[in-house]
PDB file of all heavy atoms in Angstrom:
ATOM      1  N   GLY A1080      -1.304  -8.304  16.779  1.00  0.00           N
ATOM      2  CA  GLY A1080      -0.736  -7.128  16.244  1.00  0.00           C
ATOM      3  C   GLY A1080      -1.759  -6.245  15.413  1.00  0.00           C
ATOM      4  O   GLY A1080      -2.433  -6.896  14.494  1.00  0.00           O
ATOM      5  N   CYS A1081      -1.925  -5.037  15.658  1.00  0.00           N
ATOM      6  CA  CYS A1081      -2.872  -4.127  14.856  1.00  0.00           C
ATOM      7  C   CYS A1081      -2.395  -2.731  15.018  1.00  0.00           C
ATOM      8  O   CYS A1081      -2.112  -2.287  16.130  1.00  0.00           O
ATOM      9  CB  CYS A1081      -4.362  -4.292  15.315  1.00  0.00           C
ATOM     10  SG  CYS A1081      -5.360  -3.300  14.303  1.00  0.00           S
ATOM     11  N   PRO A1082      -2.289  -2.033  13.907  1.00  0.00           N
ATOM     12  CA  PRO A1082      -1.950  -0.551  13.896  1.00  0.00           C
ATOM     13  C   PRO A1082      -2.956   0.343  14.241  1.00  0.00           C
ATOM     14  O   PRO A1082      -2.781   1.575  14.521  1.00  0.00           O
ATOM     15  CB  PRO A1082      -1.304  -0.348  12.497  1.00  0.00           C
ATOM     16  CG  PRO A1082      -2.098  -1.264  11.577  1.00  0.00           C
ATOM     17  CD  PRO A1082      -2.472  -2.450  12.515  1.00  0.00           C
ATOM     18  N   LEU A1083      -4.215  -0.132  14.176  1.00  0.00           N
ATOM     19  CA  LEU A1083      -5.361   0.773  14.394  1.00  0.00           C
ATOM     20  C   LEU A1083      -5.752   0.732  15.958  1.00  0.00           C
ATOM     21  O   LEU A1083      -5.290  -0.153  16.701  1.00  0.00           O
ATOM     22  CB  LEU A1083      -6.590   0.391  13.531  1.00  0.00           C
ATOM     23  CG  LEU A1083      -6.309   0.308  12.094  1.00  0.00           C
ATOM     24  CD1 LEU A1083      -7.684   0.216  11.481  1.00  0.00           C
ATOM     25  CD2 LEU A1083      -5.666   1.542  11.575  1.00  0.00           C
ATOM     26  N   ARG A1084      -6.539   1.738  16.373  1.00  0.00           N
ATOM     27  CA  ARG A1084      -6.941   1.817  17.732  1.00  0.00           C
ATOM     28  C   ARG A1084      -8.443   2.119  17.645  1.00  0.00           C
ATOM     29  O   ARG A1084      -8.936   3.197  18.145  1.00  0.00           O
ATOM     30  CB  ARG A1084      -6.264   2.865  18.523  1.00  0.00           C
ATOM     31  CG  ARG A1084      -4.685   2.523  18.659  1.00  0.00           C
ATOM     32  CD  ARG A1084      -4.526   1.223  19.511  1.00  0.00           C
ATOM     33  NE  ARG A1084      -3.168   0.910  19.652  1.00  0.00           N
ATOM     34  CZ  ARG A1084      -2.528  -0.071  19.054  1.00  0.00           C
ATOM     35  NH1 ARG A1084      -3.122  -0.661  18.070  1.00  0.00           N
ATOM     36  NH2 ARG A1084      -1.220  -0.359  19.229  1.00  0.00           N
ATOM     37  N   CYS A1085      -9.281   1.257  17.098  1.00  0.00           N
ATOM     38  CA  CYS A1085     -10.719   1.601  16.792  1.00  0.00           C
ATOM     39  C   CYS A1085     -11.408   1.877  18.177  1.00  0.00           C
ATOM     40  O   CYS A1085     -11.263   1.104  19.096  1.00  0.00           O
ATOM     41  CB  CYS A1085     -11.387   0.428  16.173  1.00  0.00           C
ATOM     42  SG  CYS A1085     -10.711   0.127  14.479  1.00  0.00           S
ATOM     43  N   VAL A1086     -12.190   2.819  18.109  1.00  0.00           N
ATOM     44  CA  VAL A1086     -13.034   3.355  19.336  1.00  0.00           C
ATOM     45  C   VAL A1086     -13.928   2.196  19.886  1.00  0.00           C
ATOM     46  O   VAL A1086     -14.174   2.114  21.108  1.00  0.00           O
ATOM     47  CB  VAL A1086     -13.809   4.681  18.914  1.00  0.00           C
ATOM     48  CG1 VAL A1086     -14.813   4.339  17.851  1.00  0.00           C
ATOM     49  CG2 VAL A1086     -14.353   5.211  20.189  1.00  0.00           C
ATOM     50  N   PHE A1087     -14.334   1.301  18.938  1.00  0.00           N
ATOM     51  CA  PHE A1087     -15.249   0.284  19.443  1.00  0.00           C
ATOM     52  C   PHE A1087     -14.589  -1.083  19.602  1.00  0.00           C
ATOM     53  O   PHE A1087     -15.209  -2.163  19.750  1.00  0.00           O
ATOM     54  CB  PHE A1087     -16.451   0.096  18.425  1.00  0.00           C
ATOM     55  CG  PHE A1087     -16.086   0.124  17.048  1.00  0.00           C
ATOM     56  CD1 PHE A1087     -15.240  -0.810  16.529  1.00  0.00           C
ATOM     57  CD2 PHE A1087     -16.473   1.259  16.192  1.00  0.00           C
ATOM     58  CE1 PHE A1087     -14.888  -0.779  15.178  1.00  0.00           C
ATOM     59  CE2 PHE A1087     -16.123   1.354  14.879  1.00  0.00           C
ATOM     60  CZ  PHE A1087     -15.349   0.344  14.335  1.00  0.00           C
ATOM     61  N   CYS A1088     -13.237  -1.166  19.487  1.00  0.00           N
ATOM     62  CA  CYS A1088     -12.502  -2.468  19.421  1.00  0.00           C
ATOM     63  C   CYS A1088     -12.747  -3.323  20.708  1.00  0.00           C
ATOM     64  O   CYS A1088     -12.655  -2.679  21.734  1.00  0.00           O
ATOM     65  CB  CYS A1088     -10.987  -2.189  19.273  1.00  0.00           C
ATOM     66  SG  CYS A1088     -10.093  -3.806  19.231  1.00  0.00           S
ATOM     67  N   HIS A1089     -13.156  -4.559  20.581  1.00  0.00           N
ATOM     68  CA  HIS A1089     -13.378  -5.350  21.674  1.00  0.00           C
ATOM     69  C   HIS A1089     -12.190  -6.388  21.877  1.00  0.00           C
ATOM     70  O   HIS A1089     -12.345  -7.239  22.714  1.00  0.00           O
ATOM     71  CB  HIS A1089     -14.747  -6.068  21.573  1.00  0.00           C
ATOM     72  CG  HIS A1089     -15.034  -6.837  20.435  1.00  0.00           C
ATOM     73  ND1 HIS A1089     -15.718  -6.430  19.292  1.00  0.00           N
ATOM     74  CD2 HIS A1089     -14.594  -8.124  20.128  1.00  0.00           C
ATOM     75  CE1 HIS A1089     -15.798  -7.290  18.487  1.00  0.00           C
ATOM     76  NE2 HIS A1089     -15.125  -8.302  18.890  1.00  0.00           N
ATOM     77  N   ASN A1090     -11.132  -6.143  21.086  1.00  0.00           N
ATOM     78  CA  ASN A1090      -9.930  -7.043  21.265  1.00  0.00           C
ATOM     79  C   ASN A1090      -8.707  -6.298  21.522  1.00  0.00           C
ATOM     80  O   ASN A1090      -7.760  -6.451  20.742  1.00  0.00           O
ATOM     81  CB  ASN A1090      -9.797  -8.029  20.108  1.00  0.00           C
ATOM     82  CG  ASN A1090     -10.940  -8.941  19.993  1.00  0.00           C
ATOM     83  OD1 ASN A1090     -11.258  -9.649  21.038  1.00  0.00           O
ATOM     84  ND2 ASN A1090     -11.431  -9.219  18.873  1.00  0.00           N
ATOM     85  N   PRO A1091      -8.607  -5.312  22.465  1.00  0.00           N
ATOM     86  CA  PRO A1091      -7.450  -4.555  22.728  1.00  0.00           C
ATOM     87  C   PRO A1091      -6.266  -5.506  22.982  1.00  0.00           C
ATOM     88  O   PRO A1091      -5.013  -5.096  22.829  1.00  0.00           O
ATOM     89  CB  PRO A1091      -7.693  -3.641  23.808  1.00  0.00           C
ATOM     90  CG  PRO A1091      -8.782  -4.272  24.594  1.00  0.00           C
ATOM     91  CD  PRO A1091      -9.667  -4.996  23.500  1.00  0.00           C
ATOM     92  N   THR A1093      -5.270  -7.857  21.328  1.00  0.00           N
ATOM     93  CA  THR A1093      -4.555  -8.254  20.133  1.00  0.00           C
ATOM     94  C   THR A1093      -3.582  -7.132  19.509  1.00  0.00           C
ATOM     95  O   THR A1093      -2.958  -7.319  18.506  1.00  0.00           O
ATOM     96  CB  THR A1093      -5.508  -8.593  18.961  1.00  0.00           C
ATOM     97  OG1 THR A1093      -6.248  -7.421  18.591  1.00  0.00           O
ATOM     98  CG2 THR A1093      -6.487  -9.697  19.333  1.00  0.00           C
ATOM     99  N   TRP A1094      -3.608  -5.997  20.162  1.00  0.00           N
ATOM    100  CA  TRP A1094      -2.970  -4.766  19.554  1.00  0.00           C
ATOM    101  C   TRP A1094      -1.334  -4.920  19.560  1.00  0.00           C
ATOM    102  O   TRP A1094      -0.796  -4.654  18.543  1.00  0.00           O
ATOM    103  CB  TRP A1094      -3.213  -3.503  20.345  1.00  0.00           C
ATOM    104  CG  TRP A1094      -4.665  -2.972  20.122  1.00  0.00           C
ATOM    105  CD1 TRP A1094      -5.581  -3.523  19.204  1.00  0.00           C
ATOM    106  CD2 TRP A1094      -5.320  -1.963  20.824  1.00  0.00           C
ATOM    107  NE1 TRP A1094      -6.791  -2.841  19.360  1.00  0.00           N
ATOM    108  CE2 TRP A1094      -6.705  -1.886  20.372  1.00  0.00           C
ATOM    109  CE3 TRP A1094      -4.959  -1.147  21.849  1.00  0.00           C
ATOM    110  CZ2 TRP A1094      -7.588  -0.911  20.748  1.00  0.00           C
ATOM    111  CZ3 TRP A1094      -5.821  -0.142  22.307  1.00  0.00           C
ATOM    112  CH2 TRP A1094      -7.109  -0.143  21.778  1.00  0.00           C
ATOM    113  N   GLY A1128      -7.938 -10.983  13.262  1.00  0.00           N
ATOM    114  CA  GLY A1128      -6.920 -10.350  14.210  1.00  0.00           C
ATOM    115  C   GLY A1128      -7.581  -9.771  15.375  1.00  0.00           C
ATOM    116  O   GLY A1128      -8.723 -10.085  15.685  1.00  0.00           O
ATOM    117  N   GLY A1129      -6.869  -8.594  15.760  1.00  0.00           N
ATOM    118  CA  GLY A1129      -5.617  -7.989  15.194  1.00  0.00           C
ATOM    119  C   GLY A1129      -5.901  -7.747  13.570  1.00  0.00           C
ATOM    120  O   GLY A1129      -6.984  -7.704  13.175  1.00  0.00           O
ATOM    121  N   GLU A1130      -4.722  -7.426  13.027  1.00  0.00           N
ATOM    122  CA  GLU A1130      -4.662  -7.099  11.610  1.00  0.00           C
ATOM    123  C   GLU A1130      -3.770  -8.167  10.849  1.00  0.00           C
ATOM    124  O   GLU A1130      -2.548  -7.921  11.039  1.00  0.00           O
ATOM    125  CB  GLU A1130      -4.307  -5.614  11.482  1.00  0.00           C
ATOM    126  CG  GLU A1130      -4.135  -5.175  10.032  1.00  0.00           C
ATOM    127  CD  GLU A1130      -5.390  -5.692   9.215  1.00  0.00           C
ATOM    128  OE1 GLU A1130      -6.307  -5.087   9.263  1.00  0.00           O
ATOM    129  OE2 GLU A1130      -5.177  -6.608   8.311  1.00  0.00           O
ATOM    130  N   SER A1157      -9.002  -4.707   7.964  1.00  0.00           N
ATOM    131  CA  SER A1157      -9.420  -3.331   7.793  1.00  0.00           C
ATOM    132  C   SER A1157      -8.922  -2.656   6.549  1.00  0.00           C
ATOM    133  O   SER A1157      -9.310  -1.717   6.092  1.00  0.00           O
ATOM    134  CB  SER A1157      -9.009  -2.479   8.975  1.00  0.00           C
ATOM    135  OG  SER A1157      -7.549  -2.397   9.000  1.00  0.00           O
ATOM    136  N   ASP A1178     -13.538  -4.824   6.578  1.00  0.00           N
ATOM    137  CA  ASP A1178     -14.224  -3.956   7.635  1.00  0.00           C
ATOM    138  C   ASP A1178     -14.126  -2.527   6.988  1.00  0.00           C
ATOM    139  O   ASP A1178     -13.078  -1.968   6.654  1.00  0.00           O
ATOM    140  CB  ASP A1178     -13.299  -3.967   8.898  1.00  0.00           C
ATOM    141  CG  ASP A1178     -13.285  -5.263   9.551  1.00  0.00           C
ATOM    142  OD1 ASP A1178     -14.111  -6.151   9.073  1.00  0.00           O
ATOM    143  OD2 ASP A1178     -12.534  -5.366  10.511  1.00  0.00           O
ATOM    144  N   LYS A1180     -14.449   1.023   8.230  1.00  0.00           N
ATOM    145  CA  LYS A1180     -14.377   1.722   9.533  1.00  0.00           C
ATOM    146  C   LYS A1180     -15.170   2.977   9.336  1.00  0.00           C
ATOM    147  O   LYS A1180     -15.934   3.423  10.300  1.00  0.00           O
ATOM    148  CB  LYS A1180     -12.982   2.055   9.892  1.00  0.00           C
ATOM    149  CG  LYS A1180     -12.036   0.890  10.015  1.00  0.00           C
ATOM    150  CD  LYS A1180     -12.576  -0.039  11.142  1.00  0.00           C
ATOM    151  CE  LYS A1180     -11.698  -1.199  11.379  1.00  0.00           C
ATOM    152  NZ  LYS A1180     -12.224  -2.226  12.324  1.00  0.00           N
ATOM    153  N   THR A1191     -10.329   5.278  14.089  1.00  0.00           N
ATOM    154  CA  THR A1191      -9.197   4.453  14.307  1.00  0.00           C
ATOM    155  C   THR A1191      -7.942   4.992  14.799  1.00  0.00           C
ATOM    156  O   THR A1191      -7.052   4.266  15.142  1.00  0.00           O
ATOM    157  CB  THR A1191      -8.874   3.892  12.776  1.00  0.00           C
ATOM    158  OG1 THR A1191      -8.319   4.997  11.904  1.00  0.00           O
ATOM    159  CG2 THR A1191     -10.047   3.345  12.098  1.00  0.00           C
ATOM    160  N   TYR A1257     -10.159  -3.644  28.582  1.00  0.00           N
ATOM    161  CA  TYR A1257      -9.384  -2.395  28.770  1.00  0.00           C
ATOM    162  C   TYR A1257      -9.069  -2.100  30.316  1.00  0.00           C
ATOM    163  O   TYR A1257      -7.866  -1.771  30.572  1.00  0.00           O
ATOM    164  CB  TYR A1257     -10.260  -1.262  28.303  1.00  0.00           C
ATOM    165  CG  TYR A1257     -10.543  -1.152  26.808  1.00  0.00           C
ATOM    166  CD1 TYR A1257     -11.361  -2.013  26.137  1.00  0.00           C
ATOM    167  CD2 TYR A1257      -9.706  -0.245  26.011  1.00  0.00           C
ATOM    168  CE1 TYR A1257     -11.432  -1.944  24.739  1.00  0.00           C
ATOM    169  CE2 TYR A1257      -9.827  -0.173  24.707  1.00  0.00           C
ATOM    170  CZ  TYR A1257     -10.727  -1.064  24.059  1.00  0.00           C
ATOM    171  OH  TYR A1257     -10.836  -1.042  22.660  1.00  0.00           O
TER     172      TYR A1257
HETATM  173  S1  SF4 B2644      -8.771  -3.044  13.215  1.00  0.00           S
HETATM  174 FE1  SF4 B2644      -9.907  -4.617  14.470  1.00  0.00          FE
HETATM  175  S2  SF4 B2644      -8.326  -5.306  16.065  1.00  0.00           S
HETATM  176 FE2  SF4 B2644      -7.569  -3.462  15.082  1.00  0.00          FE
HETATM  177  S3  SF4 B2644      -8.224  -1.855  16.576  1.00  0.00           S
HETATM  178 FE3  SF4 B2644      -9.762  -1.921  14.939  1.00  0.00          FE
HETATM  179  S4  SF4 B2644     -11.400  -3.393  15.723  1.00  0.00           S
HETATM  180 FE4  SF4 B2644      -9.488  -3.675  17.004  1.00  0.00          FE
END
Side-chain angles (χ1 to χ4, degrees):
C1081 183
L1083 303 189
R1084 296 291 179 265
C1085 297
V1086 64
F1087 44 64
C1088 181
H1089 54 263
N1090 289 317
T1093 65
W1094 290 352
E1130 174 49 71
S1157 67
D1178 296 352
K1180 301 300 182 185
T1191 68
Y1257 286 81

